[in-house]
Amino acid sequence: MDMQYDCPEEIYHGTFRTAPQVPRPPSGNFPWKTFAPGFSFFLADTFGKIAEQLGDQAARESFQSAVERVFADRLDEL
């Protein structure tokens, strides 16, 4: 428990250091500019599994279209 961060105002509150010598994360809320490696593959796999659960082709196409619009809007914001 000595390696757990007790910083209620920070996004990393309750998480743990990976090693005792690891420096403290920066304070403040910084918006993410990049995603971790492999993140897009995780999303694609997750959305693919959701689409598989939808009953008909029209529902799958509607879901895929909605996801593409959300990502396009998000990329425009960056």
Side-chain angles (χ1 to χ4, degrees), residues 1-48:
M1 297 305 279
D2 292 336
M3 291 181 34
Q4 185 175 21
Y5 292 113
D6 183 21
C7 310
E9 70 286 352
E10 300 296 341
I11 195 167
Y12 51 83
H13 173 64
T15 62
F16 293 84
R17 288 180 196 235
T18 54
Q21 68 276 15
V22 171
R24 229 180 142 77
S27 297
N29 187 0
F30 298 100
W32 293 350
K33 299 290 183 188
T34 61
F35 293 104
F39 186 76
S40 62
F41 299 110
F42 168 77
L43 284 178
D45 188 49
T46 301
F47 289 143

Side-chain angles (χ1 to χ4, degrees), residues 47-56 59-60:
F47 289 143
K49 289 179 181 183
I50 292 170
E52 288 173 5
Q53 297 299 313
L54 298 174
D56 58 37
R60 284 191 294 276

